[in-house]
Amino acid sequence: MNAENKVERHTMAVLVDNEAGVLARVIGLFSGRGYNIESLTVAEVDQAEHTSRITVVTTGTPMVIEQIKAQLDRIVPVHKVVDLTTETHAIEREMAMVKVAGTGEKRVEALRLSDAFRARVIDTTHTSFVFEVTGTPEKIDAFIGLMRPLGLVDVSRTGVVAIARGPEAM
Amino acid sequence: MAAQTMTGAEIVINALVDQGVDTIFGYPGGAVLPIYDALFQQNKIRHILVRHEQGAVHAAEGYARSTGKPGVVLVTSGPGATNAVTGLADALMDSIPLICLTGQVPTHLIGSDAFQECDTVGITRHCTKHNWLVKSVDDLGRIMHEAFYVATNGRPGPVVIDIPKDIQFQSAEYAGMQNVAHKTYRPRVKGDIEAIREALELIANAKKPIFYTGGGVINSGPVASQLLRDFVQLTGFPITSTLMGLGAYPASGKNWLGMLGMHGTFEANNAMHDCDVMINIGARFDDRVTGRLDAFAPNSKKIHIDIDASSINKNVRVDVGIIGDCAHVLEDMIRLYKAKAIRPDKAALADWWKQIDVWRDRKSLSYKASDEVIKPQYAIQRLHELSKGRDTYITTEVGQHQMWAAQHFPFEKPNHWMTSGGLGTMGYGLPAAVGVQIAHPDALVIDIAGEASIQMCMQEISTAVQFMLPVKIFILNNEYMGMVRQWQELLHGGRYSHSYSESLPDFVKLAEAYGATGIRASTPGELDAKIQQMFDTPGPVIFDCLVDKKENCYPMIPSGAAHNEMILADDEDSASVSEEGKMLV
C-alpha cells in the first residue's frame, strides 16, 4: 500500500457560528459524503461572539482528508477549519466516566489500578465506583480494558478535544 | 434609506426590489398568503404562476442561466417545499444561483406535525448551498440580503429561506440594503499569483496542451468567456468543454474540438487522453467527463482553476490548483503570459494539431443519413440551420436528445444553452424554457425534448400559454426512453425493461387542448417547412418530430472505459462493457 492510499487518522478543529442547525450541517456532510467520524465534540467557546468549536476525529486517505477540510471550509457558517494533525503540533485529551461494580478483591484491584491512571473517584457506594479519567483516547481505552474483568458496567466518554501547542490561536 | 416599519411580507417584497428582482416564479398556498397579498398590492415585481413547484425552480434556473442574475422562487410550506426539492438539487449540482422562499407553519406550530408542515430546512439542507429558518421578524431583512450574497458569491448555488406565516404578519424595521458582507462566508476570487506562475511554467513548456473548460466560465460571467477566447487565441491551444460550458468558446472557433466526455467527440477525448498539459478552467472532473479514473489523461500535468477549493483534488489529483474566479485568474494569467513573453513551442504544437486533425477526420458525429425516416441528429441540424440569424436559446430535457443537442447544435455565445448537467433531471427543459423566455421575450427559445422527458413537467405548457410565451417544444419522439434503451441494449442483452413509451398522448391534440399549437413531422422531406411553420407561429408550439426509433447516441465512452476506448457509430456492433463498467451509472 503506497502513501496515497494509506488511511490516516486526523483531528480537525472547526470554528463555527453557533446558529441553529450548524451541527447538523457538519454531521450531514460526513454522512452524506461517506466520511468517517471517530469522535466529535462540540461546545460554545465564545459566548459574546456566539462561536462554537467542533473537534472531529476522522480517518481517510490524504486525498479524502484534504477533501474533508475543503468541504468543511465551504459550509457557510464555518469560520475556520484547522487540520490539527498536519498543520500543528496538537495535544489531544478525552475524559471518561467509568462505572465499576463489585465487591472484595476486584473492588480493591479496581481502586488500585485507577490510581496508576490518575483516575479520580467521583462517586462511590459499597458496591461501586465511578472513576473520572482523562487522557489520550488510547489511555482511556487501556483503562476501560483493565476495568472490564473487574466489574465494568457503564462508560460515558466525551470524545476528543484538541488544541495546538504554542502561543497561537487556531 | 431610513429604516421603515413594515410587515414581514412587505420586508420580503422590499428586499427583493432592493436586490433588483423584477420577476419571481411561484405557486401560492396557505403558508405564504401574506406574501402573496403583499405581491398583489405592488407592481414592481412580476409573479409567474407555474403549475407545479418543480417547474417554478427550473424556470428560475432558466431565468438565472440565461441572464446571469439569480432566480427567485416563492412556494408554500409542506408539499410546496418538497416539490421544489428536485429543482434545488438540480441547481446545487449545476451551481445556479437561486433564492427559494418557502412558507412555513406559524412558529408556535413548528414541530407539531401541523397541516402542510415539513422540516423544510432539514430536508433542503443537503440540496442547498445554505438555508435559513426565520425565527424572528427582526432577522428577516438581514437574512434576505445575506441569502442573495450567499447564492451569488463564490460558487453560486440555491438557498432557501423558510418563513413561518406569523413572521410574515409581524412588523419590524426594515433598513434596506445594509451590511450585505457576510460574517463567515467570504470566498476568494483572486487566484494565488505563485500558483498562476507555476501554471504558466507548465503552459510555456507544453507540447500537447489542451484547455478543458466548464460551467464555471459561464457562471463567472461574460468577461470570463471573453478572456478565455483571448487566451485560446494567444496560445493557439486546442479547447474542449463540458456539457455545462458550451458557448463559452464559440463552436465556430478554429481551436474548438467539440464537447468531451461520455458522448463527446473522438478528437476531444483522444486529445484529453494524450495531452501533456491540461488546463481545466471551471470544470470539476465529473465522472461523465473522466471515464475510468486510473486511465484519465495518464501522462499529463494538470492545472485546475476553480472558485470552490473542494473541487480541487476531489476526483483527480492535480499538479497546480488555483482557487479563484475564472475571470480574475484568467486576467492575471494573460497579463503574466504577455509580460513574460511566453512563446508556445510552435513545432510541437503543429505536430499536436496534425494528430488532432487525424482524430477529427474520423468524423465521430457522423450518422447514417436517411430520406425515409427523420434522424434525430438531422432534425437538430435543421433546427440549427433554420434558426440562424435569430437570437436562439436552447434548453433540453435529459437523455439521448440532450446529447444530440449538445453534439449537433453549435453554440457561439455563453448563456444560450440551458441543460440539466449534474443531476440529469428529466422535466427540466420546458420550465427552464419558460424562465428563459420570460427573461428574453423576443428571443427564439426552444426546448429540445424527448417524448418521455417532456411528460415529466408537461403541465408548464399551461404557464407558457397563460403568459403568452412563444416557447417551442421540439420533441424528438422515438417512443422510447432512448438513453435507457441504449444502455439496456449495451448492458442488459437488449431486454428493454419498461423503457418503451406506452400510451403516448397525441402531442398535437395535447397542444391544442392547452391552447397552444401542435405540429407533427414524420418525414425528412417535410421537416424544414414544418420547422419554419413552428418559428412563424406566434405562441407556444409543441412539435412532435417522429424520428428513427432505433437510433443510438454515439460516440460513446462506455462506463468504466478510458477516453481512448470510445465506441463510434460505425463500430457499435462490437461494443461491449466491462463487468466493472456495468456497476457504474
Side-chain angles (χ1 to χ4, degrees), chain A residues 60-167:
Chain A
T61 62
M63 205 156 151
V64 167
I65 298 285
E66 181 187 338
Q67 184 61 203
I68 291 173
K69 189 184 173 208
Q71 290 289 353
L72 284 168
D73 221 2
R74 73 183 194 141
I75 295 176
V76 169
V78 166
H79 283 265
K80 200 172 181 191
V81 186
V82 175
D83 182 341
L84 292 169
T85 306
T86 51
E87 294 166 50
T88 69
H89 196 48
I91 312 160
E92 290 186 5
R93 287 293 180 271
E94 187 176 0
M95 199 263 271
M97 293 184 196
V98 180
K99 186 179 284 184
V100 180
T103 51
E105 273 299 297
K106 284 186 176 175
R107 182 172 159 82
V108 176
E109 180 64 0
L111 194 63
R112 203 180 59 76
L113 283 171
S114 74
D115 202 37
F117 277 78
R118 296 202 194 98
R120 293 199 304 139
V121 176
I122 54 175
D123 177 74
T124 185
T125 66
H126 289 300
T127 55
S128 70
F129 290 121
V130 174
F131 297 112
E132 175 198 311
V133 60
T134 304
T136 62
E138 295 74 31
K139 174 180 161 181
I140 292 176
D141 287 346
F143 183 68
I144 291 167
L146 286 169
M147 289 301 127
R148 204 173 298 282
L150 301 178
L152 180 78
V153 290
D154 212 0
V155 178
S156 176
R157 298 172 70 149
T158 58
V160 171
V161 291
I163 205 160
R165 291 180 190 271

Side-chain angles (χ1 to χ4, degrees), chain B residues 395-411:
Chain B
T395 71
T396 74
E397 311 289 333
V398 168
Q400 284 183 326
H401 67 272
Q402 176 190 30
M403 292 298 112
W404 281 319
Q407 292 172 337
H408 296 281
F409 201 107
F411 294 94

